[in-house]
Amino acid sequence: MTFFRGRRLRRTPTIRGLVQETRLNRQDLIQPYFVMETDDPYFIKPISAMPGQNQFGLAKLVERVGRAMDQGLFACILFGIPKTKDSSGSQAWAESGITQRAVAALKRSYPDLCVITDVCLCEYTSHGHCGLVSGQEVLNDPTLELLAKTALSHARAGADMVAPSDMMDGRVGAVRAALDSGGFMDLPILSYAVKYASGFYGPFREAAESPPQFGDRKTYQMDPANRLEAFREVRADVEEGADLLMVKPALPYLDILRDLREATDLPLAAYQVSGEYAMIKAAAQNGWIDEQTVVLETLTGIKRAGADLILTYFAEQVLGWMQ
Ligand code: PBG
């Protein structure tokens, strides 16, 4: 009797290795870090809903990143938390703001590290929204100029790439124009092109101290029910000059990643967000799943679906496992 014998290629680790279709590399992984403006540069505070992740003072961050680089860290993305917040989020573009200082310090210590910055106002505004607010409304066009200034200030501090995550319309074009006129025509933009209004950002908002003080982000972030809208967002960002595109969150949106992998030839990133991290950590801490198996399974799945790059809070840990 002849029938398909799939097991022939699963018999030994060697054979499985030979026919493995998707492999994670250290170059695929981007570790997010939260840097706090503090009096004590060695400040470190664990984030309760994200076991293993911390808010860092500047010197502590540099120390931590150094250790991660010894393990093979290639790239990181920074989220700054300023001491003071105001209605326009002015610390976002302050020349000596916490993010700008962190970029400069990291690049001084580690010129080879790829430092990406998150460009958004929500960590810097007193109301916690990603743009300027009038009454209950988040204003689109007046926000663009502030985002552009923020991106330019990150570039001046030495960032290797900027990643606008605010979901205002027209922001990629505004950021591109500001970078070009500031002499940074070679600095790439990683656009959070397809960002859903997700419940999975919960722990991040504790980490970045940025929960919206009224309402939610549904007037600017995407409806999880929508697929075609992702194509429209991508088309707009490509036309405006994005160099890389991101889908966020990752695991609930693997279909979108697959669709976009086929629709664009730009590098594609996926963000395994705070809530995805928290779920795995919580289940693993209870002994309900095996952490390493599940982490590698999710990251492999995200890559298999079409991501070239993965922003994940597990990056440091995975680098440790790879050694
Ligand atoms: C800023 C931003 C957020 C995340 C990344 N950049 C929060 C939000 O949109 O509310 C979430 C990342 C995560 O949950 O890990 N706008």
Side-chain angles (χ1 to χ4, degrees):
M1 197 159 77
T2 64
F3 44 80
F4 170 65
R5 291 193 183 271
R7 291 184 54 185
R8 284 176 190 145
L9 297 184
R10 294 178 206 136
R11 286 181 62 221
T12 65
T14 327
I15 293 180
R16 289 197 296 274
L18 277 174
V19 299
Q20 187 168 65
E21 298 175 35
T22 310
R23 274 189 255 268
L24 284 175
N25 305 307
R26 72 183 182 93
Q27 289 93 336
D28 302 333
L29 304 174
I30 301 171
Q31 172 76 41
Y33 289 106
F34 299 98
V35 58
M36 272 272 239
E37 189 170 26
T38 49
D39 294 326
D40 172 13
Y42 287 95
F43 174 90
I44 176 166
K45 184 180 170 201
I47 299 160
S48 61
M50 301 174 72
Q53 304 300 308
N54 305 279
Q55 296 172 326
F56 294 105
L58 197 45
K60 199 77 192 169
L61 173 74
V62 173
E63 194 182 275
R64 174 71 170 238
V65 171
R67 267 196 283 135
M69 286 187 74
D70 291 341
Q71 306 250 63
L73 185 73
F74 210 72
C76 67
I77 182 164
L78 290 183
F79 297 93
I81 308 154
K83 224 179 224 171
T84 56
K85 306 194 184 210
D86 57 29
S87 61
S88 65
S90 61
Q91 282 301 304
W93 60 86
E95 208 178 307
S96 59
I98 183 60
T99 306
Q100 290 78 359
R101 277 190 285 141
V103 170
L106 287 174
K107 290 302 291 185
R108 204 178 316 120
S109 301
Y110 318 114
D112 294 338
L113 176 71
C114 176
V115 177
I116 307 170
T117 56
D118 183 83
V119 175
C120 193
L121 300 184
C122 64
E123 297 107 278
Y124 305 91
T125 51
S126 42
H127 45 72
H129 278 289
C130 303
L132 284 174
V133 159
S134 167
Q136 298 287 102
E137 200 184 338
V138 178
L139 304 174
N140 193 86
D141 295 21
T143 300
L144 298 180
E145 189 198 332
L146 306 184
L147 294 165
K149 276 205 285 196
T150 301
L152 184 56
S153 75
H154 294 171
R156 288 196 178 120
D160 294 291
M161 198 182 283
V162 293
S165 71
D166 51 280
M167 287 304 274
M168 297 302 118
D169 295 321
R171 74 214 200 274
V172 173
V175 166
R176 186 71 269 161
L179 292 176
D180 289 354
S181 63
F184 295 98
M185 43 283 277
D186 288 333
L187 197 88
I189 299 176
L190 163 58
S191 174
Y192 285 70
V194 178
K195 179 172 175 180
Y196 287 94
S198 170
F200 287 99
Y201 307 150
F204 174 95
R205 293 178 186 167
E206 173 204 336
E209 304 184 359
S210 64
Q213 298 303 303
F214 64 86
D216 51 41
R217 303 207 204 287
K218 288 184 186 159
T219 64
Y220 43 107
Q221 299 180 348
M222 290 168 57
D223 183 340
N226 293 355
R227 169 176 170 268
L228 295 175
E229 192 183 359
F231 291 87
R232 301 198 289 273
E233 286 290 348
V234 160
R235 191 178 333 118
D237 285 5
V238 171
E239 278 167 11
E240 290 175 33
D243 300 284
L244 308 92
L245 302 167
M246 192 197 299
V247 174
K248 176 184 170 193
L251 216 51
Y253 300 94
L254 293 185
D255 57 330
I256 307 295
L257 267 174
R258 167 53 54 196
D259 283 341
L260 294 181
R261 177 64 296 160
E262 280 155 20
T264 172
D265 53 9
L266 292 187
L268 205 54
Y271 200 146
Q272 182 178 52
V273 300
S274 56
E276 297 178 72
Y277 176 85
M279 276 195 313
I280 294 174
K281 281 286 177 188
Q285 286 183 349
N286 276 294
W288 296 335
I289 56 172
D290 179 65
E291 181 167 346
Q292 182 169 343
T293 306
V294 168
V295 169
L296 294 176
E297 188 174 334
T298 59
L299 297 176
T300 303
I302 292 164
K303 191 167 177 190
R304 193 191 61 237
D308 303 297
L309 298 168
I310 306 171
L311 295 87
T312 172
Y313 300 96
F314 288 113
E316 283 185 349
Q317 237 181 309
V318 173
L319 291 170
W321 297 332
M322 281 176 176
Q323 301 246 309

